[in-house]
Amino acid sequence: MLAAILSRLLRMVVVMFGISVITFLIFFATPSSDPAARIAGKNAAQETIEAVRKDFGLDRPLYVQYGLMMKRLFITRDLTSFANRGQQIVPAVAAAAPATLSLVSGAAVLWMLGGILTGITAAAWRGRWPDKLLMGISMMAVAMPVFWVGEMVNLITQNRLHDTWAFSWVPALGYTPFSQDPGLWFRSMVFPWLTLAFLYIGLYGRMLRTGIIETYQEDFIRTARAKGLTGRKVLLKHATRSAIIPIVIMFGMDFGVLVGGAAVLTEVVFGINGVGRLTYQALKVLDLPMIMATVLYASFFVVVANAVVDLLCLLIDPRMRRA
Amino acid sequence: MGASPEQETALPPADPSAGEKVWSRRGPWRRVLQGLLGSPTAMISAALLVLIVIATLLAPVYAKHVAGTDPFRSGLSAKIKIDGKPVPVMQQSTEGLGLGVTPIGPTWGPQYMLGADGQGRDVAARLLYGGQNSLLIAGASTVLCLLIAAIVGIAAGYLGGAVDGVLSNLIDMIWAFPVYLLAISLSIVMIGKSYAFGPFEISSGSLIVPILIIGLVYVPYVARPIRGRVLALNQSEFVMAARGLGIRPGRILWRHILPNVSTTLIVFAPMLMALNIVTESSLSFLSVGVQPPNASWGTILQDGQTLLYSRPMVSLAPGLAIMVTVLLLNLFGDVLRDVLDPKSARGR
Amino acid sequence: MSEIRSIRARLKGRFLGGVAALAIGAAFPAMAQDDAHYGGTMKLLGVSSEGTLDPHINYTARYWPLFIYTHDGLMAFKKVGGPESADVVPDLAEAMPEVTNDGKTYTFKLRQGIKFSNGKDLTVDDVVASFQRIFKVSSPTSGSFYSGIVGADKCLAEAETCTLEGGVIGDAATNTITINLVAPDAEFLFKLAVPHAVIMPADTVMKDAGNQPIPGTGTYMFESYDPNASLIMVRNPHFKEWSKDAQPKGYPDRIEYTFGGTEEAAVNAILNGQADWMYEPVPSDRLAELSVSNPDQLRVSPLVAWWYAPLNVNIPPFDSLQARQAMNYAVDRDALVSVFGGPALASPVCTILPPDMPGHADRCDYTADPGEFWSAPDMEKAHALVEESGTKGQKVTVVADDTSTGRAVGTYLQTVLTELGYDATVQSISGDIQFTYIQNTNNNVQISVTQWYQDYPAASNFLNVLFGCDSFTPGSDSSVNMSGICDKGLDDRMKAAMALAGTDPEAALTEWGNIDYDMMKLAPAIPLFTPKDVDLISTRMGNYEFSSQFHWLVGNSWVQ
């Protein structure tokens, strides 16, 4: 057990180190990535730019800059942004994290419930109209880009039908911390949750349906039915349990990467200032410290989520253990 | 179950009661073909897909002869005739304060059938041209992704040990990788330049770059479930027996592992196509991939974002095209999966 | 222009205007100041924040309109709408300065009784320290605006030990500040009126203050700033209005500027009454709808700005004069105007100086029938010139930014280039990155799409800054002369015109018009159009005033 945990930790360090180095290299390989002129300001004199360059340590060799950045990020935690001078990176990410966490967690609950329900229902009525309908909607969900869905939702709830009884409860776009006003937090998150979950309900529903149908053909199912177990019990207990593995694996990957900031489009469209939006803003202006921080933050969650999911899979299906 | 050829050809066809899928050696492809031909769903969806592909290939014909426009040129000062009167494509607002210019809406006629986009170009013509790029990019990247994911997933799951460790690390790194940073960096690096790799010339508008990027981005998403499947299969009686009997790993992979994994791949394929078309639109927005004035369904979608409130058709049209294509692929894929899986034939 | 003559003229005008205002005010007392409007919270929206809260460093159009209400300089641009917004009035100085020594010495008397927002009194020491600070914190304009101060050269070389000895001298006994320049500068008072020259307490940290508010003398002060969330301004408790023109008492009690979301979301929020104003331009697909449904919430104002396409005169194909002129003939500026939202929002331009810039003269050669204004493109001439230039068929990449207008303009230019026979592509990159990318000659940018807004109302701000030899530094990310043009003759004339402005302003303006015309003969860029500013405001907002210098005057509007 301990060995497994240690090996996972080692893996996390390797992955994060690898990504940080790659990010660093990509940044400096990009022409016009030098932030000195952007920091110094429009039409700055050459001396001013030089002064800024020295001030930010941009004239030191790459590995020194890398080392300093890592030190400032993890040890002294006083790393500052290139774009917003004086803005501390670590508190900024920490402040943005709850928004993303709220968004992704809520959506995750919705999409797991929705996906599982969809998958089981579609598999149970396989070939008949509920199956066709659900799979049709699922495919629609997968094919509609999240930024488009989000904008359409806003178009309806904030603009066209804003004053009707149906949507007048929808508050202004933006994130309110739960501790500040739970009611407002909930109301402002409903549509972001639904928008983000929509795509994944489609994906997971589809995967689960196929998985259940396949598992249904397995021997042990036939045995269970021969033994007299009714259809529903068989379905739920045996088939799903086996078919759910790929869903759990996908969930780990999706949740990890979304909490790390991949939900950027949803965040921007709904005005939720989370880690995703932070990453996106940093990319637009090539703000290396912020990019580095958010990339490492994301990779941390990806690795942790995958580790947790692997453990879960072992519990669900012991066949996955290595002999 | 030995290695001698005569014994192999004498093997009976796949025994459905064997409890796992094995591809029959006798005319498997013929069986598949018969299965597909026999299914109306598969036939209709395949026919419609072929129709879509043909339509996109006929884009130049449509643009020239039906619409009479060049969908790659800005049509900002173009005029078309409606009921004999010349109507500007970019319509100046005349009511109220008279602010804003709105592109013409769907005319449902040969010219500007679905309206014009923000630059006065014919959306319908661009949709057809865009289909070429989208289908090509999405198709190629899906195939690439599934191929790599299958190799990686199977290798990691089957071989285990250090190989699994390294590959799993790689998978995690790809999944957590800042793709948008790479895209922005590439778009800046490639401004005005082109690189030659053997027969391929990669310039900023080359489709090879987005195909490679999109193909890699979703590899972890497919590889990990496959790895999980393989891990479970490792414990199945047949694989353990085969291993015990010393059968070559290659054979085990081909006859036992791969068939079971193929259904997962087939289910992923249409979903990946959809995700890839959308990812392509984000990449094109970051200027990696389809460059203006070329079109793809994703870029038309992006163009439509700025016209959402006034001309929603510009984003609806590519959205519907993507949906229909993905739906058809799914229907076809369902039948294909059923056909490839002899066991499921019993359940119908 | 001569300071003394124009100062007297302006003073006379103001005096008469003041008498008139008093008369009117006396006749209609209710119009003068309605106390009920003071108060309330004003809500502003912006998609993102834009940098530091340090007025000496921040050089963005987003924050300058805020800094003018939280801090004051010796001079200020008049905080009124209309053409008078281009006038400078004394702010922390009691009156216009005494200019002596052939225009090289300015003597200001500092106003008494002004306090910073932290309660400290304003003294001459603060003024001297603030001018030193401009160099110590490496302000972007320390080189371009303030290098004319005596001692500035030492400060630019060694910022940390900056004393500006002999340049800015404060006399506490007489409460005067004396500023000595190396050479007369007709634009100096303008330069004192921009946020980079505001006065802060002498003990302000001598490096970029970042997110920490700096105490100021303005009507508002910054309460908090989180670049990822919001910026809050509240009333400065120690503020007492001393000049309505320079620093009026702001109407709202509190200003909340929230960052995030999209432009569409901001429009919806304003329409729903959840916000009062948005910084970003109204998305073009809402304009037509809003023109009809909410015209009274829209405000359109002229800007002294232009969209243009710099042509790199040092690398092919635009090292050929004919190729550059061909592009100027070929671009259909009316088409570009429709991309921006139509003739109500933009006008085609043919000259470098925007129409509202003093010195602008209506002359247009690069059109179908040359005359005063642009009318239509002349494709025949363009084709002929391209043939003549021998550059046909060459590869050209247009570099635009990633806003929808930027992309549209870039794509249009690519269409034109293709039509002229070039092998053209267009690439768009994120705005901030694009701006430095197109300046660096190492990137070999042939043609790009960009804009320029005035820093203050002087022709040199466009002609000298964008096309002067001093602004061209090869291999640097800061080389605003993106065309790379350096014409000695025109450069000398520009310097002469700047000097002439001190003695004969009218003649200088005429000369600027001529320089503009002669520069365009060399066609270092393609003037595209001059935009107008469109603001969407809430129904509850009143007294919207637009300054040509700082755009919408935040504190001059009320919300109740």
Side-chain angles (χ1 to χ4, degrees):
Chain A
M1 196 61 194
L2 192 63
I5 294 182
L6 277 178
S7 89
R8 269 304 155 82
L9 274 172
L10 183 65
R11 187 153 135 187
M12 187 188 314
V13 170
V14 167
V15 169
M16 286 171 73
F17 176 70
I19 290 201
S20 68
V21 168
I22 295 177
T23 306
F24 206 75
L25 291 175
I26 292 179
F27 180 85
F28 281 102
T30 311
S32 205
S33 62
D34 183 7
R38 277 191 293 278
I39 301 176
K42 177 172 79 163
N43 197 20
Q46 306 307 317
E47 301 98 336
T48 312
I49 299 184
E50 276 314 305
V52 164
R53 192 169 277 136
K54 261 217 192 59
D55 200 26
F56 277 76
L58 296 167
D59 50 349
R60 325 267 286 271
L62 279 188
Y63 63 87
V64 172
Q65 288 191 50
Y66 177 81
L68 279 175
M69 186 173 292
M70 289 299 121
K71 173 175 134 268
R72 288 216 191 97
L73 184 58
F74 289 111
I75 304 179
T76 56
R77 281 189 285 271
D78 63 351
L79 184 63
T80 52
S81 152
F82 280 173
N84 289 307
R85 278 205 270 188
Q87 182 192 21
Q88 300 250 357
I89 301 289
V90 176
V93 175
T100 305
L101 212 58
S102 301
L103 173 66
V104 175
S105 308
V109 166
L110 275 177
W111 91 55
M112 280 313 264
L113 285 176
I116 292 177
L117 220 70
T118 310
I120 293 182
T121 315
W125 274 275
R126 180 191 172 191
R128 304 216 290 274
W129 69 264
D131 179 25
K132 293 201 201 296
L133 181 69
L134 282 172
M135 285 302 104
I137 298 181
S138 298
M139 278 306 104
M140 260 174 57
V142 174
M144 296 204 286
V146 86
F147 57 85
W148 187 83
V149 174
E151 289 282 11
M152 291 309 290
V153 166
N154 277 346
L155 177 69
I156 296 177
T157 61
Q158 296 284 344
N159 188 258
R160 300 280 189 251
L161 299 179
H162 181 73
D163 299 318
T164 61
W165 60 267
F167 297 114
S168 51
W169 54 268
V170 181
L173 293 181
Y175 175 74
T176 320
F178 182 79
S179 48
Q180 193 177 311
D181 184 344
L184 188 58
W185 172 84
F186 185 79
R187 279 183 301 139
S188 56
M189 294 299 272
V190 169
F191 280 107
W193 281 337
L194 287 171
T195 307
L196 187 57
F198 192 42
L199 159 72
Y200 292 103
I201 292 178
L203 270 174
Y204 287 31
R206 185 108 181 84
M207 285 303 293
L208 190 59
R209 170 197 178 270
T210 312
I212 293 179
I213 290 175
E214 271 183 25
T215 318
Y216 225 55
Q217 322 302 342
E218 295 278 336
D219 257 3
F220 65 92
I221 296 292
R222 283 194 309 139
T223 316
R225 290 183 93 171
K227 278 189 178 172
L229 287 174
T230 61
R232 198 159 297 163
K233 256 188 155 176
V234 171
L235 196 58
L236 284 176
K237 206 159 174 238
H238 296 272
T240 308
R241 190 180 170 135
S242 179
I244 207 138
I245 298 285
I247 307 292
V248 172
I249 296 178
M250 281 162 69
F251 179 77
M253 306 184 75
D254 287 328
F255 189 78
V257 83
L258 283 174
V259 165
V264 47
L265 295 169
T266 317
E267 287 180 13
V268 168
V269 165
F270 287 102
I272 298 170
N273 291 357
V275 179
R277 183 183 165 272
L278 208 57
T279 318
Y280 178 62
Q281 293 291 111
L283 281 173
K284 280 177 72 100
V285 298
L286 283 183
D287 180 7
L288 181 62
M290 186 65 88
I291 294 177
M292 188 62 81
T294 48
V295 164
L296 286 173
Y297 179 83
S299 50
F300 170 78
F301 276 100
V302 163
V303 177
V304 165
N306 280 343
V308 168
V309 149
D310 281 348
L311 190 65
L312 270 174
C313 284
L314 284 179
L315 292 173
I316 298 177
D317 186 353
R319 287 186 300 169
M320 289 184 62
R321 205 173 295 145
R322 290 211 181 275
Chain B
M1 283 183 283
S4 70
E6 311 92 78
Q7 281 176 306
E8 279 166 12
T9 45
L11 275 173
D15 180 5
S17 62
E20 63 140 316
K21 288 165 282 204
V22 174
W23 285 341
S24 146
R25 293 215 76 227
R26 206 174 294 165
W29 301 116
R30 174 147 18 120
R31 195 176 50 78
V32 166
L33 204 59
Q34 278 175 342
L36 288 174
L37 284 170
S39 153
T41 320
M43 284 295 97
I44 296 178
S45 50
L48 286 174
L49 280 170
V50 167
L51 216 67
I52 291 180
V53 171
I54 293 180
T56 63
L57 290 175
L58 286 176
V61 174
Y62 178 84
K64 195 150 170 232
H65 297 287
V66 179
T69 65
D70 179 353
F72 302 119
R73 279 180 49 181
S74 286
L76 293 171
S77 29
K79 288 191 169 52
I80 59 170
K81 276 206 164 45
I82 297 188
D83 298 330
K85 284 189 301 211
V87 170
V89 167
M90 300 295 282
Q91 297 176 319
Q92 178 59 37
S93 153
T94 48
E95 294 162 2
L97 283 181
L99 300 178
V101 171
T102 314
I104 198 172
T107 62
W108 303 114
Q111 286 193 306
Y112 289 98
M113 176 159 76
L114 298 174
D117 66 6
Q119 304 221 25
R121 302 176 295 202
D122 187 329
V123 172
R126 281 177 71 80
L127 199 65
L128 290 177
Y129 270 107
Q132 290 179 9
N133 284 332
S134 281
L135 292 174
L136 178 61
I137 294 179
S141 58
T142 302
V143 168
L144 187 66
C145 175
L146 293 177
L147 212 66
I148 301 180
I151 295 175
V152 168
I154 292 177
Y158 191 75
L159 296 174
V163 174
D164 186 14
V166 167
L167 286 176
S168 290
N169 266 357
L170 217 62
I171 288 178
D172 280 352
M173 268 208 261
I174 295 178
W175 194 238
F177 188 77
V179 178
Y180 288 149
L181 174 65
L182 180 65
I184 290 178
S185 177
L186 272 178
S187 77
I188 300 177
V189 163
M190 291 179 64
I191 294 181
K193 295 205 192 69
S194 58
Y195 304 93
F197 289 106
F200 298 113
E201 184 177 338
I202 303 183
S203 62
S204 65
S206 161
L207 297 183
I208 294 184
V209 174
I211 289 177
L212 282 176
I213 295 181
I214 301 175
L216 281 175
V217 158
Y218 280 106
V219 162
Y221 206 54
V222 183
R224 271 180 61 87
I226 288 185
R227 172 183 171 274
R229 197 79 196 265
V230 173
L231 280 178
L233 278 172
N234 274 347
Q235 313 290 343
S236 69
E237 298 132 13
F238 312 96
V239 173
M240 292 180 79
R243 270 176 145 155
L245 284 167
I247 296 188
R248 281 192 337 263
R251 207 174 173 74
I252 301 179
L253 284 173
W254 179 255
R255 297 204 67 189
H256 300 286
I257 309 271
L258 204 53
N260 286 282
V261 154
S262 69
T263 53
T264 314
L265 290 176
I266 291 179
V267 175
F268 261 118
M271 300 195 310
L272 269 185
M273 281 282 288
L275 290 173
N276 287 350
I277 294 180
V278 174
T279 312
E280 183 269 314
S281 94
S282 309
L283 280 187
S284 296
F285 182 74
L286 294 173
S287 288
V288 173
V290 177
Q291 298 297 330
N294 291 336
S296 72
W297 287 343
T299 56
I300 303 178
L301 205 64
Q302 284 285 356
D303 289 341
Q305 288 297 103
T306 54
L307 288 166
L308 209 57
Y309 282 72
S310 55
R311 291 280 173 249
M313 181 56 83
V314 182
S315 59
L316 268 172
L320 281 171
I322 299 173
M323 249 185 260
V324 166
T325 310
V326 167
L327 203 64
L328 291 174
L329 279 169
N330 252 293
L331 290 172
F332 187 79
D334 270 351
V335 180
L336 185 63
R337 192 193 48 79
D338 282 349
V339 157
L340 281 175
D341 173 10
K343 278 192 306 176
S344 68
R346 283 185 299 117
R348 300 197 112 202
Chain C
M1 61 194 130
S2 157
E3 296 298 344
I4 305 192
R5 254 190 271 158
S6 66
I7 290 168
R8 288 213 188 110
R10 289 217 207 102
L11 280 176
K12 198 195 285 183
R14 250 200 295 284
F15 179 70
L16 289 173
V19 168
L22 267 177
I24 296 175
F28 301 90
M31 264 171 55
Q33 260 176 31
D34 195 347
D35 285 336
H37 289 307
Y38 286 100
T41 301
M42 184 179 273
K43 298 207 169 93
L44 312 179
L45 295 178
V47 166
S48 62
S49 56
E50 219 161 332
T52 172
L53 215 53
D54 191 324
H56 281 173
I57 297 181
N58 195 301
Y59 202 176
T60 63
R62 189 187 294 266
Y63 287 172
W64 269 22
L66 304 177
F67 292 141
I68 57 174
Y69 283 97
T70 57
H71 292 78
D72 295 282
L74 288 171
M75 307 291 293
F77 282 96
K78 209 165 168 187
K79 288 187 177 61
V80 295
E84 283 191 23
S85 54
D87 295 343
V88 274
V89 297
D91 192 357
L92 291 179
E94 269 186 4
M96 298 294 279
E98 249 181 71
V99 186
T100 52
N101 196 2
D102 292 327
K104 293 199 284 208
T105 301
Y106 290 74
T107 312
F108 298 87
K109 188 127 192 318
L110 195 63
R111 257 183 234 273
Q112 296 283 62
I114 296 187
K115 284 188 194 290
F116 286 103
S117 53
N118 58 2
K120 286 212 186 119
D121 288 313
L122 170 70
T123 66
V124 294
D125 288 335
D126 298 315
V127 179
V128 173
S130 297
F131 277 96
Q132 292 171 359
R133 188 173 188 274
I134 297 176
F135 295 92
K136 288 190 180 163
V137 299
S138 300
S139 167
T141 49
S142 50
S144 43
F145 288 4
Y146 307 106
S147 55
I149 301 179
V150 167
D153 49 351
K154 283 209 208 58
C155 283
L156 281 172
E158 261 290 318
E160 273 179 37
T161 55
C162 182
T163 54
L164 276 181
E165 205 175 311
V168 178
I169 306 158
D171 184 353
T174 52
N175 242 322
T176 51
I177 316 275
T178 311
I179 303 184
N180 293 314
L181 302 178
V182 166
D185 182 354
E187 298 163 11
F188 192 62
L189 287 185
F190 289 142
K191 296 174 181 173
L192 293 181
V194 295
H196 287 167
V198 296
I199 310 301
M200 316 170 166
D203 58 2
T204 309
V205 58
M206 287 299 170
K207 59 183 192 63
D208 187 341
N211 300 352
Q212 296 308 313
I214 298 175
T217 49
T219 178
Y220 292 108
M221 56 182 265
F222 291 115
E223 184 185 80
S224 71
Y225 178 45
D226 177 351
N228 201 38
S230 64
L231 169 67
I232 313 278
M233 290 161 70
V234 295
R235 281 198 195 281
N236 177 354
H238 299 280
F239 175 79
K240 284 194 246 316
E241 185 180 299
W242 63 84
S243 158
K244 190 158 177 25
D245 281 341
Q247 186 66 258
K249 178 180 173 194
Y251 280 106
D253 280 341
R254 188 181 162 88
I255 299 175
E256 289 177 359
Y257 200 153
T258 317
F259 307 117
T262 60
E263 287 93 327
E264 301 281 6
V267 170
N268 290 340
I270 296 177
L271 292 177
N272 292 339
Q274 295 153 345
D276 295 300
W277 174 86
M278 56 187 278
Y279 173 76
E280 280 75 17
V282 176
S284 51
D285 65 334
R286 311 296 295 269
L287 284 172
E289 164 203 335
L290 291 171
S291 280
V292 174
S293 59
N294 305 72
D296 42 331
Q297 287 179 256
L298 288 169
R299 298 283 186 277
V300 181
S301 324
L303 285 170
V304 188
W306 70 328
W307 278 68
Y308 68 115
L311 299 167
N312 192 331
V313 307
N314 297 319
I315 55 176
F318 297 115
D319 51 353
S320 144
L321 174 65
Q322 288 101 334
R324 303 201 294 271
Q325 290 176 331
M327 280 303 285
N328 265 293
Y329 277 109
V331 168
D332 183 356
R333 289 151 175 94
D334 272 342
L336 290 175
V337 159
S338 75
V339 157
F340 197 72
L345 293 178
S347 334
V349 287
C350 234
T351 56
I352 295 169
L353 295 176
D356 283 341
M357 170 66 79
H360 167 86
D362 286 321
R363 265 182 290 200
C364 193
D365 273 352
Y366 297 108
T367 177
D369 41 358
E372 282 191 347
F373 302 107
W374 185 88
S375 54
D378 189 343
M379 282 310 281
E380 272 179 37
K381 192 114 193 245
H383 278 295
L385 281 165
V386 171
E387 294 292 345
E388 221 182 286
S389 71
T391 56
K392 196 165 181 176
Q394 287 187 16
K395 270 180 146 65
V396 181
T397 306
V398 181
V399 180
D401 69 26
D402 66 351
T403 56
S404 60
T405 315
R407 276 173 207 267
V409 173
T411 312
Y412 173 75
L413 288 176
Q414 185 221 20
T415 304
V416 172
L417 283 163
T418 311
E419 225 169 298
L420 288 177
Y422 292 100
D423 177 7
T425 49
V426 58
Q427 192 86 5
S428 35
I429 25 182
S430 166
D432 278 9
I433 308 173
Q434 188 244 13
F435 188 62
T436 50
Y437 184 86
I438 57 182
Q439 293 179 54
N440 197 327
T441 52
N442 292 342
N443 296 323
N444 291 320
V445 176
Q446 300 154 301
I447 171 176
S448 49
V449 179
T450 184
Q451 321 105 56
W452 189 258
Y453 291 73
Q454 72 165 18
D455 284 322
Y456 51 76
S460 65
N461 211 230
F462 277 73
L463 281 165
N464 190 41
V465 169
L466 297 179
F467 299 103
C469 297
D470 286 340
S471 301
F472 178 54
T473 313
S476 161
D477 272 355
S478 177
S479 165
V480 187
N481 180 348
M482 296 159 213
S483 312
I485 190 168
C486 180
D487 182 293
K488 201 77 184 53
L490 284 170
D491 215 57
D492 289 339
R493 280 172 67 186
M494 290 201 271
K495 298 219 166 42
M498 293 200 286
L500 185 62
T503 51
D504 187 352
E506 298 302 325
L509 291 179
T510 318
E511 173 62 354
W512 280 118
N514 292 333
I515 296 176
D516 188 351
Y517 183 66
D518 291 334
M519 183 67 80
M520 276 314 294
K521 284 219 195 80
L522 296 177
I526 313 173
L528 299 173
F529 56 87
T530 184
K532 288 209 177 68
D533 177 285
V534 182
D535 272 333
L536 178 68
I537 60 176
S538 62
T539 43
R540 69 173 185 163
M541 188 190 288
N543 203 39
Y544 174 93
E545 288 185 300
F546 189 87
S547 152
S548 62
Q549 181 64 23
F550 294 111
H551 308 169
W552 173 57
L553 291 168
V554 182
N556 283 27
S557 300
W558 61 68
V559 289
Q560 64 179 33

